Amino acid sequence: MSVIQKPDPVPAPSAAGRVPFLDLKAQQARIGAEMRRRVDTVMAHCQFVLGPEVAELEAELARRAGAAHCVSVSSGTDALLIAMMAEDIGPGDAVFLPAFTYTATAEVPLLLRATPVFVDIDPRTYQMDPADLERRIDAVRQGGKLRPRAIVGVDLFGQPADWDALVEIAKRHDLVTIDDCAQAFGAKLHGQPLGTQADCTAISFFPSKPLGGYGDGGALFTESAERAALYRSLRTHGEGKLRYDVQRIGINGRLDTLQAAVLLAKLSVFDEELVARERVAKFYDQRLGNLLTTPARVADSTAAWAVYAVVLPNSDVRAAVQEACKAEGVATAVYYPKPLHHQPAYAAHHEGGALPVAEDVATRIMALPIHPDLTEAQLDHVCNTVTRALAQAMTA
Ligand SMILES: *Cc1c(COP(=O)(O)O)cnc(C)c1O
């Protein structure tokens, strides 16, 4: 109890009036005790790098993904970097990836001096379009300048990419498959958790991802013992069997023990949280499905729902709805306002011309709050606000 009472001039908005995009405080109320117990254990043993929690987390993640090997790393971006370093991807190599994704997917091949080749997306699911992928692989082969090497499928917004098609195309063209699963750990395809569909799978523990830590972190899954050994070496400066035996160029890419402890606590509620996210998605589907374009479900899959994105008729309507949401305390966000081939950093590397679906969707897409602690009153408030704003914008 403080001696000086602070004045509170602004009345607190009602709970339903404030709908944050993410509510990590509410989550702490559910897992705080387990989190503190886990963190205290680390503080007691002081093995802050590669402590016992790291191995425990890797075993638990591998079990959940149904994967033979899990190697934890310092971020989702470093997971992609280590995956591509392990395949020796570099100058002259073409890495095929969707144009509609987070910047990290394209940044990593460029860090290795390889060339990202941007692929358009499916107009229904916004996942990489296998037909366009095939066309672009053929174009690169015919161009004769680059060697097709890898396909990076992205499980956009927490729904699986079309792995049946991507793996089939990769086999036919002898390409490595990398799953950028940063947004989708916990999702399933044909009843199988994501983690074994591609040659390697990269996930992220950035705080806003479905399984988020309290800082940066990531992990790699693979069925190959050779790849797993390479990942372990690469995350610790390319070390060999002995500590000061440097076998290859690596990075400092380990996951902190404290983050592993936090993630183990978070895993104790992860399954319930996935159910809660699905409940939010269904609520939006039902309330908004007749008014705007709600996310099309990828066939025979369950989503991790990192992002619930709707698509509006045009960019003016999007701006008006976002404005109205802001006024009502409803957080919205645009993932992604620009396809990557239009980003200044990547435009110079893009030779493939227009990617019409990605370009169009970027102008109209908008994400609504989705997290496990949203109440029915908050969801009601989001849907009422969007419905009203949309009606107004369409008659304006
Ligand atoms: C978040 C994200 C990444 C990068 O993960 P970090 O842990 O932030 O480095 C990569 N790809 C996609 C699609 C992402 O959403």
Side-chain angles (χ1 to χ4, degrees):
M1 184 77 171
S2 74
V3 183
I4 303 163
Q5 288 283 320
K6 282 209 199 103
D8 191 6
V10 185
S14 74
R18 280 187 47 117
V19 190
F21 219 71
L22 187 69
D23 197 344
L24 294 176
K25 282 240 169 76
Q27 189 193 48
Q28 269 186 36
R30 291 187 283 112
I31 56 173
E34 172 67 0
M35 179 86 58
R36 274 179 205 99
R37 187 185 71 75
R38 285 281 188 180
V39 169
D40 282 349
T41 305
V42 178
M43 300 308 281
H45 67 54
C46 289
Q47 289 173 255
F48 295 118
V49 174
L50 298 186
E53 285 77 6
V54 173
E56 185 184 347
L57 177 72
E58 288 175 346
E60 177 59 15
L61 292 171
R63 188 187 68 75
R64 284 171 177 262
H69 306 277
C70 173
V71 179
S72 63
V73 295
S74 41
S75 70
T77 307
D78 287 339
L80 291 169
L81 180 62
I82 288 171
M84 290 189 207
M85 288 170 80
E87 305 302 329
D88 210 9
I89 287 172
D93 289 340
V95 176
F96 299 86
L97 54 98
F100 197 65
T101 174
Y102 183 59
T103 179
T105 318
E107 164 184 67
V108 170
L110 282 167
L111 280 170
L112 297 174
R113 301 282 177 260
T115 303
V117 176
F118 297 103
V119 178
D120 210 353
I121 53 171
D122 179 284
R124 246 176 46 86
T125 62
Y126 317 132
Q127 308 288 339
M128 179 152 64
D129 176 2
D132 194 51
L133 171 63
E134 189 98 52
R135 279 192 291 275
R136 288 178 195 274
I137 293 171
D138 288 343
V140 166
R141 283 207 192 289
Q142 274 154 26
K145 279 189 296 189
L146 297 171
R147 186 163 58 123
R149 277 299 307 282
I151 298 171
V152 185
V154 176
D155 306 304
L156 193 73
F157 300 156
Q159 293 210 79
D162 188 347
W163 284 108
D164 298 343
L166 301 188
V167 166
E168 189 274 320
I169 292 169
K171 283 215 173 93
R172 215 156 9 86
H173 292 275
D174 193 21
L175 305 176
V176 174
T177 47
I178 298 172
D179 182 357
D180 181 344
C181 188
Q183 303 180 357
F185 180 68
K188 289 182 177 168
L189 182 61
H190 307 315
Q192 297 290 323
L194 292 183
T196 53
Q197 287 72 13
D199 293 320
C200 91
T201 300
I203 66 171
S204 163
F205 306 127
F206 187 79
S208 64
K209 312 282 171 157
L211 179 62
Y214 286 169
D216 284 305
L220 284 157
F221 297 110
T222 181
E223 297 307 286
S224 148
E226 293 78 41
R227 283 194 170 97
L230 268 175
Y231 300 161
R232 285 185 198 282
S233 169
L234 287 165
R235 78 170 172 187
T236 303
H237 305 288
E239 75 175 14
K241 289 228 157 47
L242 302 170
R243 171 168 283 175
Y244 292 110
D245 165 30
V246 184
Q247 290 284 342
R248 54 188 65 80
I249 305 298
I251 62 171
N252 178 350
R254 295 169 297 244
L255 180 76
D256 290 338
T257 310
L258 278 168
Q259 287 304 339
V262 167
L263 289 160
L264 282 163
K266 291 229 179 179
L267 279 172
S268 68
V269 296
F270 187 56
D271 291 335
E272 307 155 27
E273 292 194 338
L274 288 172
V275 172
R277 283 176 186 273
E278 178 61 37
R279 186 175 49 80
V280 173
K282 284 221 173 78
F283 192 102
Y284 287 148
D285 286 349
Q286 275 160 21
R287 286 282 300 273
L288 302 173
N290 292 331
L291 301 170
L292 38 69
T293 308
T294 49
R297 304 303 173 95
V298 168
D300 197 19
S301 76
T302 60
W305 294 117
V307 171
Y308 184 96
V310 298
V311 173
L312 297 154
N314 60 54
S315 62
D316 290 343
V317 172
R318 177 174 74 184
V321 172
Q322 282 203 284
E323 197 56 41
C325 284
K326 195 172 170 197
E328 286 293 328
V330 173
T332 62
V334 174
Y335 306 116
Y336 297 93
K338 258 187 210 176
L340 290 183
H341 64 294
H342 284 177
Q343 289 288 359
Y346 304 129
H349 300 278
H350 175 64
E351 294 184 353
L355 299 163
V357 183
E359 287 163 22
D360 171 52
V361 168
T363 66
R364 305 192 282 130
I365 200 160
M366 180 188 89
L368 295 174
I370 189 163
H371 62 75
D373 293 287
L374 286 166
T375 64
E376 192 127 331
Q378 285 178 310
L379 293 174
D380 220 34
H381 183 61
V382 174
C383 292
N384 290 339
T385 303
V386 169
T387 304
R388 233 180 297 124
L390 198 57
Q392 236 159 41
M394 299 301 280
T395 54

